[in-house]
Amino acid sequence: MCVGGRVEMSAVSRLCTLLLISACFTLTSAEHYSIDDQAGLGRVFDGIGGLSGGGATSRLLINYAEPYRTQILDYLFKPNFGASLHILKVEIGGDAQSTDGTEPSHMHYEDDENYFRGYEWWLMTEAKKRNPNITLIGLPWAFPGWIGRGVNWPYDFPDVTVSYIVSWIIGAKQYHDLDIDYVGIWNERNFDIKYIKLLRYTLDKAGLERVRIIASDNLWEPITLSVLGDEELREAVDVLGAHYPGTTSVPAAVKMGKQLWASEDYSTFNDEVGGGCWARILNQNYVNGLMSATISWNLVASYYQNLPFGRDGLMTAQEPWSGNYVVESPIWTTAHTTQFSQPGWKYLQTVGHLTHGGSYVALTDQKGNLTIVIETMTHDHSVCIRPPLPPYNVTAQTATFSLKGSFASLSELQLWNSKFDFKTKKPVFFQKLAPIKVSNGSFTLDLDVDEVYTVTTIPTGLKGSYPEPPPSSPFPKTYKDDFNVKNPSFSEAPDFADQTGVFEYFMNLTDPGPHVYTLRQVVTQRPITWVADADQTVSVIGDYSWQNMTVSCDVFMEKENSGGVFVAARLDKGGGSVRNARGIFFWVLADGTYRVTSDLSGLSVLAEGLSGTRANTWNTLTLTVKGNFVSGELNGYLLWKNTVDLVPKNGWAAIGTSSFELAQFDNFAVQAE
Ligand SMILES: *[C@@H]1O[C@H](CO)[C@@H](O)[C@H](O)[C@H]1NC(C)=O
Ligand SMILES: *[C@@H]1O[C@H](CO)[C@@H](O)[C@H](O)[C@H]1NC(C)=O
Ligand SMILES: *[C@@H]1O[C@H](CO)[C@@H](O)[C@H](O)[C@H]1NC(C)=O
Ligand SMILES: *[C@@H]1O[C@H](CO)[C@@H](O)[C@H](O)[C@H]1NC(C)=O
Ligand SMILES: *[C@@H]1O[C@H](CO)[C@@H](O)[C@H](O)[C@H]1NC(C)=O
Ligand SMILES: *[C@@H]1O[C@H](CO)[C@@H](O)[C@H](O)[C@H]1NC(C)=O
């Protein structure tokens, strides 16, 4: 009954969300599907997108040399080329750890405003250059500490938080000519009804009526119930966005009629199973849950792979030092939808599951164009990271589609196909096949398992390509940075991945000596966090597999008496686990002492003693680790050496400070073995 009643597919879709999915397969053997707009259309399609940030997931992308950086951006955003994304969602940096690093805030301090930090402005500009119609979204994960007046909560002073967020939207327009289309509340954390209403009111008052609000980037239920029970809130919220919905929504949200989005989804290792996950949810988020947009966390895997959720992006670009990048299968499964439909098109009501497993959706521009996307991904070849995927079966099948209504007289359709082919491990993605001749209003496809098809009136599809990028190679074993950049394009130095705190290029024009251009840690107060940031600041760099290395850096403490800075080797944890990072840390403090510890928190002390170090003078720290032998030098003089039973055996090089305090770094160098 579920699949049999083809004409009433919108009712069927709703029914399918209520029944177990498996029940939808068992009750019919029909293999005839109608594509029909006579009974009206389904929901407006809002697009497919990628999420940069949440956090620091595009960190390494900006350091690619040309032409590779342009090529990667083309694969992501250029229309009719690769993923051709409709939506770019970015993090509104909050100076705090938001999964794979920190992203800088446009307001580190209450009296500070700077709309040129980080890389999200640049990324939005590059995306817009390629696709002027791209939908832009901003969402905070964390907030600078001053927002909460010392409390780890953003809603105690809602007017402060609202004006902070609205200033980001105004700055986007003023400094980058970027129109932000949607803004969210607080990623995967509590929302506050008063805050949302004030945000709407303040946006309107600032002439930003066009900026729409997504709530609440978390689960369906709490926001749906709140919106149902509050008319003013209902008017303030434009889109209900849920994360990792497992292709289903809730009946109350569907009934309300607001647009429903998978406002964050995917997060799966981007091998072929990841591509399968993405193909399945792009279709079934609408078929099962009537979601009209799906956004991938993350856009592009441009962070060290040993940070949490390595390679969970639509493609991989994690080696700016080699120029190597990989156009992974999710790029092409995205293209199956994005190259042949646009936001503003409408889904047909005749969408659904295929009799022997898989699904199909149909979209129209209401001007006669039609795009049908079919996927037959099997269970084991399309598992996403979350939520668990209940078992189901898919077998090879023959499917006949009858074109009715506006589409009855179409005579030829373009055909695109991806074959994952897990048996031979020779997948073929996004190939153009001979056009389909529609005979007597219908066409038939032989569908194998693990395939994606697009059948469309749109003739412009293209599998874009560039010459092979350079081969993959490890991070260089000899690496130096003197930070002498007069007009940096980005606020952060190449390849440093901040895990707590923010490290920025700094210029001290009154310095008569060699330290005019430095790298400065600038977060001076614990942020309103999204995960447990460390109590120290830390930025990592290099190759996680490094065992033996010498790390050296000139350091300058700005905090008198109680300040402290370190260089480290074999640092083993970043992201949400950064508090528990171990390794070997060599600290000097402004109270005239030094310390060697085996953890970032500084609790496991291996050695300590006098160093004579003070604030506001430059010192050079050198840390050498070889096997279990460790030595630390200050300004070229040995302070300490010993053989210790070191855990971990490998990890990144790092620099940092002993608290949220200003400090500078210069002439960083690492020599790994
Ligand atoms: C942008 O949208 C407009 C109106 O829908 C359309 O005419 C135009 O072709 C689109 N531009 C691109 C680059 O897609
Ligand atoms: C389909 O879209 C194209 C633009 O992509 C447009 O020129 C054409 O008129 C539309 N309608 C049909 C039936 O192709
Ligand atoms: C899948 O097919 C197998 C073998 O025919 C059967 O045992 C199993 O119950 C099916 N699973 C589902 C979820 O239909
Ligand atoms: C064409 O389709 C109509 C209605 O679906 C059917 O009655 C007719 O027999 C078909 N003709 C051919 C040649 O298949
Ligand atoms: C800038 O340089 C001057 C002169 O060396 C020094 O006194 C001052 O502390 C430096 N300021 C900062 C913020 O580094
Ligand atoms: C690191 O140094 C130790 C001691 O010399 C040696 O046993 C080990 O093989 C070295 N590791 C690497 C990766 O070179």
Side-chain angles (χ1 to χ4, degrees), residues 550-564:
T550 295
V551 187
S552 72
C553 196
D554 299 343
V555 295
F556 183 89
M557 293 170 272
E558 296 184 46
K559 189 175 176 187
E560 312 261 351
N561 304 321
S562 62

Side-chain angles (χ1 to χ4, degrees), residues 124-314:
M124 286 190 280
T125 303
E126 292 293 327
K128 196 106 192 167
K129 245 189 236 171
R130 288 164 174 79
N131 175 7
N133 292 341
I134 198 161
T135 299
L136 297 177
I137 306 175
L139 174 67
W141 266 246
F143 305 84
W146 62 268
I147 293 274
R149 305 262 185 268
V151 180
N152 196 27
W153 190 246
Y155 300 131
D156 284 350
F157 306 94
D159 51 326
V160 174
T161 313
V162 162
S163 80
Y164 167 80
I165 292 296
V166 172
S167 72
W168 185 88
I169 296 169
I170 293 172
K173 182 68 184 173
Q174 189 174 339
Y175 297 97
H176 303 279
D177 197 25
L178 295 167
D179 291 299
I180 303 300
D181 299 290
Y182 293 87
V183 64
I185 309 305
W186 187 15
N187 183 66
E188 293 174 6
R189 294 291 177 267
N190 296 51
F191 61 88
D192 181 273
I193 292 174
K194 225 170 82 189
Y195 171 82
I196 297 176
K197 291 177 180 173
L198 186 62
L199 178 61
R200 179 72 271 160
Y201 172 82
T202 310
L203 286 169
D204 292 348
K205 229 177 70 179
L208 294 167
E209 294 89 348
R210 62 177 295 284
V211 179
R212 284 171 276 181
I213 293 179
I214 304 174
S216 66
D217 286 296
N218 204 348
L219 304 172
W220 289 118
E221 283 84 358
I223 187 66
T224 299
L225 290 178
S226 296
V227 165
L228 275 176
D230 185 327
E231 197 183 328
E232 191 190 342
L233 184 67
R234 198 148 63 239
E235 275 170 25
V237 173
D238 296 281
V239 170
L240 298 180
H243 286 195
Y244 306 94
T247 77
T248 63
S249 47
V250 294
V254 171
K255 223 172 93 192
M256 204 185 320
K258 284 198 184 297
Q259 291 296 88
L260 309 179
W261 288 13
S263 51
E264 187 181 316
D265 212 331
Y266 181 63
S267 188
T268 299
F269 190 76
N270 61 18
D271 61 5
E272 266 76 58
V273 173
C277 148
W278 187 233
R280 178 175 56 77
I281 64 180
L282 285 186
N283 263 21
Q284 298 203 19
N285 274 349
Y286 189 79
V287 171
N288 301 334
L290 292 178
M291 283 166 264
S292 57
T294 298
I295 299 173
S296 167
W297 188 90
N298 49 64
L299 171 74
V300 52
S302 283
Y303 45 100
Y304 291 112
Q305 196 175 330
N306 292 95
L307 287 168
F309 307 103
R311 271 184 60 187
D312 285 11
L314 296 176

Side-chain angles (χ1 to χ4, degrees), residues 22 391-393:
S22 60
Y392 65 88
N393 289 324

Side-chain angles (χ1 to χ4, degrees), residues 347-363:
Y347 282 101
L348 271 61
Q349 291 192 24
T350 50
V351 302
H353 292 274
L354 298 169
T355 309
H356 300 292
S359 68
Y360 68 101
V361 294
L363 296 128

Side-chain angles (χ1 to χ4, degrees), residues 420-434:
F420 280 78
D421 210 336
F422 285 88
K423 275 197 212 92
T424 64
K425 298 220 159 54
K426 285 196 192 116
V428 179
F429 294 114
F430 203 58
Q431 60 177 338
K432 192 173 196 312
L433 303 179

